[in-house]
Amino acid sequence: MTTLAPTLSTRYFPRSAAWMRDLLIVFSGVIFVALLAQVRIPLPFTPIPLTGQTFAVLLVGATIGSKRGAASLTLYTVLGAFGLPIFAGGAAGIAYLAGPTLGYLVGFIVASFVIGCLAECGLERSLRTSLLPFLIGTLIIYAFGVGWLALLLGVDKALALGVLPFIVGDVIKLALAALALPAAWKLVR
């Protein structure tokens, strides 16, 4: 099976070379994550802001697939590390990567790959199964993010600052993604 973006790009640009379509899809993923990263709400009690990034990562992985998703999020991280102001709130640079969000950024790459794999199996196409890829992706992001925070702050503080403030927002994000993808597939058919 294929995911939504490659299906649409093949349908609407059949004469374009496959590598050109893939490049466009990967860069579109970078732009989408970068735009939603600018939706940033700082929380005074944690060094991790509430952002639209995680929602974007869920959608990118599900819509562009495993390899393209991982490539897109890797490119996003590299471009931000090299100074393009695309991280949350326009942040950028290597110094930013050494901070509390590094684990989340690495988790984005892994989560987009895994979500993409599950989407390539068709799990994001049905309301009955679409929650699973997004739940697994969110747990992967938490595992990497909190794992890195635990190295910096200790396990108890990492859970208190890196998970608890975000549970409600992340449940909403994964529910919205789980509703959006089956609806998008219905429109495509």
Side-chain angles (χ1 to χ4, degrees), residues 57-125:
V57 169
L58 299 177
L59 291 178
V60 164
T63 57
I64 72 176
S66 59
K67 292 175 188 161
R68 290 179 201 92
S72 187
L73 271 296
T74 299
L75 182 59
Y76 169 78
T77 303
V78 169
L79 290 173
F82 280 121
L84 206 60
I86 58 175
F87 292 142
I94 296 288
Y96 184 81
L97 290 180
T101 59
L102 173 65
Y104 293 96
L105 292 168
V106 173
F108 291 167
I109 297 167
V110 176
S112 66
F113 180 81
V114 173
I115 292 167
C117 286
L118 295 170
E120 288 160 0
C121 294
L123 292 177
E124 90 298 7
R125 294 180 183 208

Side-chain angles (χ1 to χ4, degrees), residues 118-133:
L118 295 170
E120 288 160 0
C121 294
L123 292 177
E124 90 298 7
R125 294 180 183 208
S126 162
L127 277 175
R128 194 172 39 84
T129 59
S130 64
L131 196 59
L132 184 63

Side-chain angles (χ1 to χ4, degrees), residues 9-31:
S9 71
T10 302
R11 181 181 297 172
Y12 293 112
F13 304 105
R15 294 191 175 120
S16 297
W19 69 270
M20 284 293 287
R21 289 192 305 262
D22 286 344
L23 197 61
L24 178 64
I25 289 169
V26 167
F27 275 106
S28 296
V30 171
I31 292 167

Side-chain angles (χ1 to χ4, degrees), residues 102-185:
L102 173 65
Y104 293 96
L105 292 168
V106 173
F108 291 167
I109 297 167
V110 176
S112 66
F113 180 81
V114 173
I115 292 167
C117 286
L118 295 170
E120 288 160 0
C121 294
L123 292 177
E124 90 298 7
R125 294 180 183 208
S126 162
L127 277 175
R128 194 172 39 84
T129 59
S130 64
L131 196 59
L132 184 63
F134 304 117
L135 176 61
I136 290 171
T138 300
L139 293 174
I140 289 169
I141 293 168
Y142 276 140
F144 280 87
V146 174
W148 176 248
L149 277 180
L151 291 174
L152 297 175
L153 308 171
V155 174
D156 291 341
K157 252 189 159 174
L159 290 171
L161 299 176
V163 175
L164 297 178
F166 304 100
I167 289 175
V168 172
D170 286 336
V171 166
I172 291 168
K173 291 174 195 177
L174 71 93
L176 287 173
L179 292 171
L181 265 291
W185 274 110

